[in-house]
Amino acid sequence: MNDGPSPARPGIVAGRRASRPATDVQQLSLPLVERAARGGDQSRHKPESMAETATRASVLPEPMVETLPAATARSLDTCSLVSRPDPRSLVPAPEHRTAQALYRFEALWRAYRECRRTKRSTLNALAFEIDAEAGLLELQAELRAHTYHPGTSICFVSDGPKPREVFAADFRDRIVHHLLLARLAPVFERRFIHDSYACRKNKGVLAASDRLMTFLRQAGANGRRPVWALKLDVASFFPSIHKTTLFDILCRRVRDPELRWLTATILFHDPTLDDSFRAGPSNAAAPDSPLYPVPMRKSLFGLGGQRGLPIGNLTSQFWANVYLHEVDSFVKRELGCRWYLRYVDDLLLLAPDQETLREWGRRIRGFCSERLQLALRTDGDQPFRAARGIDFVGWKTWATHRVPRRRTIRAFEARLREAERTLV
């Protein structure tokens, strides 16, 4: 029987709940899990026995989260004790996207604009631009249905000091080349060594020449010790690339079946089966003529489709870097050459003595023959002193200066004379 007023509980004043100190309010505003981690408000509660804990747990409401304030319930949900996966693991790798994403119209449109940037004045580009949207949609349907095949290429012989056989792909095929490299380039670019030049952003002839001057100063300790150089060159590089070996190298990094299909479609296409020959300014004879200026061992017409990449395609330049990246890795990792440069198929190595360079040259020659089925030229493959100047990427280079080589000056003068005849 209640004889008098019950004693007031702590925190109750005259029938009202007394305002708690600021520290208690801040403690209640914390998420439940964080308060549990901090051990609760130990200033007002003394440790309880196991019996008291069991008794208190038996009277707790069933849906505990529902009795909490909404903000606290949301905090409890976001602070789950279950470990969450790394968000980066939920994003698929670029080489594992679906065909729908690979051939989406936005990607084709970007590839078309990039291709048109330098080819807009050509007849094929102008014809495609008349109804570009319809052409891209048709190309998209062919790619998704796997009915796409490269079209007719224009074959001609360049009029430089060395006659070269060039295959210019159709504008429609160039769009596909840009589309493919937009997906392949990020996969391989981060694996290329720093000193691999050509067909890479900010990796032209001047960048290669600047790097060579830096290497000459480093290897020679700014002129205080001798430096030896070794130049190596792949014989008939583009016609000698073995397509099956190249495809195996690409497949090591490209796992998506759709990317593999598109790569194989372009790589194993033989442009000599569907080409249109143009005599060009050099008035060269046709490939079936005995007066054809390109030897059959350097021409795709004499290789049967198993070897050779067509000079003139964007994919050929990129795949050449992928192919010789195997040599770059061998030189840097296996041989341990510190001062090494490569521009397309021109290799340059520096060392303090010539015996080291001879051994490196012998091992590189064996690696190219066994792994890549390539042969190195035998003329000019002996070490020489760098003090006499190194002929590389169009420049005669020393540690302190460089000058353009004579052949470059003669070619420049010839272009000036041609410009005068054309414009005057």
Side-chain angles (χ1 to χ4, degrees):
M1 185 172 180
N2 191 2
D3 296 335
S6 60
R9 291 180 297 169
I12 302 295
V13 178
R16 290 185 307 174
R17 184 178 298 273
S19 59
R20 300 191 178 186
T23 56
D24 296 343
V25 176
Q26 295 173 358
Q27 187 81 344
L28 285 175
S29 64
L30 293 174
L32 182 60
V33 175
E34 187 173 349
R35 277 189 284 156
R38 294 189 178 187
D41 190 358
Q42 299 179 1
S43 62
R44 299 189 297 111
H45 296 284
K46 62 181 180 179
E48 57 185 2
S49 64
M50 296 180 61
E52 292 173 340
T53 302
T55 303
R56 181 171 54 83
S58 63
V59 298
L60 286 176
E62 290 286 341
M64 181 176 179
V65 176
E66 294 179 0
T67 62
L68 295 174
T72 307
R74 287 194 298 268
S75 300
L76 178 61
D77 180 66
T78 57
C79 297
S80 174
L81 296 177
V82 180
S83 61
R84 299 177 181 270
D86 187 358
R88 293 174 297 180
S89 64
L90 303 178
V91 180
E95 62 267 27
H96 291 86
R97 306 278 176 84
T98 63
Q100 298 293 329
L102 177 60
Y103 305 133
R104 66 187 187 277
F105 186 83
E106 294 83 354
L108 283 168
W109 181 260
R110 284 196 297 267
Y112 160 67
R113 293 295 297 268
E114 182 65 23
C115 183
R116 190 186 67 169
R117 187 171 57 88
T118 57
K119 298 293 180 180
R120 194 168 189 177
S121 60
T122 61
L123 295 178
N124 287 340
L126 293 174
F128 191 90
E129 191 173 356
I130 294 175
D131 198 356
E133 290 82 1
L136 291 176
L137 289 174
E138 180 183 0
L139 182 59
Q140 182 188 51
E142 292 181 10
L143 290 170
R144 287 180 173 176
H146 287 191
T147 58
Y148 165 78
H149 296 285
T152 303
S153 300
I154 298 176
C155 177
F156 63 93
V157 178
S158 64
D159 56 350
K162 293 181 180 180
R164 298 184 184 275
E165 184 181 75
V166 181
F167 285 87
D170 186 68
F171 184 79
R172 190 169 182 264
D173 298 328
R174 291 177 184 269
I175 297 176
V176 181
H177 296 172
H178 281 272
L179 177 70
L180 177 61
L181 290 194
R183 305 298 295 274
L184 291 182
V187 176
F188 289 93
E189 182 65 30
R190 60 176 176 264
R191 293 179 171 86
F192 290 157
I193 67 170
H194 178 77
D195 295 312
S196 167
Y197 296 85
C199 197
R200 297 178 65 190
K201 188 176 181 179
N202 299 325
K203 297 284 187 177
V205 292
L206 285 179
S209 182
D210 290 341
R211 188 66 167 172
L212 174 57
M213 294 179 68
T214 301
F215 279 176
L216 288 173
R217 290 191 291 268
Q218 292 177 354
N222 291 326
R224 292 193 297 270
R225 61 187 180 202
V227 180
W228 291 81
L230 175 65
K231 289 180 59 178
L232 301 174
D233 184 16
V234 180
S236 305
F237 174 52
F238 279 94
S240 301
I241 294 178
H242 193 256
K243 293 184 177 182
T244 303
T245 304
L246 173 59
F247 187 68
D248 292 341
I249 295 173
L250 292 169
C251 288
R252 294 178 196 167
R253 301 297 181 184
V254 179
R255 304 296 179 85
D256 181 30
E258 198 65 31
L259 276 178
R260 288 187 177 185
W261 172 83
L262 186 57
T263 300
T265 301
I266 299 175
L267 175 60
F268 291 102
H269 170 67
D270 188 357
T272 62
L273 302 178
D274 186 10
D275 72 285
S276 175
F277 182 76
R278 306 284 178 84
S282 61
N283 198 22
D288 55 355
S289 171
L291 299 179
Y292 189 56
V294 180
M296 283 294 105
R297 59 183 176 84
K298 295 185 176 182
S299 171
L300 297 186
F301 290 97
L303 298 176
Q306 299 300 319
R307 288 180 177 268
L309 298 180
I311 299 177
N313 286 358
L314 181 64
T315 52
S316 299
Q317 303 174 39
F318 174 77
W319 286 335
N321 276 337
V322 174
Y323 203 62
L324 287 186
H325 174 67
E326 302 296 309
V327 180
D328 300 340
S329 301
F330 175 75
V331 172
K332 301 296 288 187
R333 298 176 182 177
E334 299 295 331
L335 302 183
C337 180
R338 179 180 177 184
W339 302 293
Y340 167 77
L341 293 167
R342 180 178 63 80
Y343 189 89
V344 192
D345 62 329
D346 293 329
L347 286 65
L348 179 63
L349 300 87
L350 303 179
D353 60 275
Q354 54 181 330
E355 296 301 328
T356 301
L357 291 176
R358 285 196 179 95
E359 175 63 18
W360 286 350
R362 183 187 62 80
R363 296 184 61 181
I364 293 174
R365 188 180 300 276
F367 178 86
C368 290
S369 177
E370 296 174 6
R371 299 286 187 88
L372 303 178
Q373 303 187 37
L374 294 176
L376 300 182
R377 296 176 56 179
T378 56
D379 53 323
D381 61 345
Q382 295 300 317
F384 59 92
R385 289 186 177 274
R388 74 183 196 189
I390 300 176
D391 188 356
F392 187 64
V393 294
W395 299 87
K396 194 81 167 182
T397 306
W398 290 264
T400 56
H401 64 286
R402 63 187 172 209
V403 296
R405 60 185 179 187
R406 296 180 181 178
R407 191 173 71 182
T408 304
I409 297 176
R410 289 195 297 268
F412 180 72
E413 292 174 345
R415 292 187 178 183
L416 283 180
R417 290 191 295 268
E418 181 65 23
E420 291 177 354
R421 287 194 299 266
T422 303
L423 299 177
V424 177

